[in-house]
Amino acid sequence: MPDRENDALIDRQANAIRIALQRIVLLRETGPKSAAWQRARIKTMWRLRQQLLADTTPRQVDEHDR
């Protein structure tokens, strides 16, 4: 049962990150056009994408975890 709760939590977090990424992508069309703003937007997208990958990638079991 705890595994289901953990999986549900991970799914909710991943969904929240996906929504944030979609909003950031849409800001390209509606946000300021300055180069600095676009760099900040890209950095935010990269950070969110890395967080999404980390949250949804199965954790590898270390020798110390056994």
Side-chain angles (χ1 to χ4, degrees):
M1 190 84 163
D3 288 337
R4 283 187 179 178
E5 291 175 8
N6 191 32
D7 290 345
L9 176 62
I10 289 172
D11 287 343
R12 284 194 302 270
Q13 289 173 335
N15 192 41
I17 293 170
R18 280 189 204 96
I19 291 170
L21 276 171
Q22 290 171 349
R23 288 179 181 162
I24 294 291
V25 169
L26 288 174
L27 284 174
R28 179 174 188 221
E29 302 299 323
T30 61
K33 302 302 181 208
S34 72
W37 191 90
Q38 293 297 336
R39 280 192 303 275
R41 186 182 69 82
I42 295 296
K43 280 184 177 182
T44 302
M45 280 194 315
W46 181 258
R47 181 180 47 80
L48 288 171
R49 179 67 179 153
Q50 293 303 316
Q51 185 179 353
L52 178 62
L53 288 172
D55 289 346
T56 58
T57 302
R59 189 172 75 90
Q60 294 180 353
V61 178
D62 246 349
E63 288 296 321
H64 300 345
D65 290 344
R66 292 183 185 183

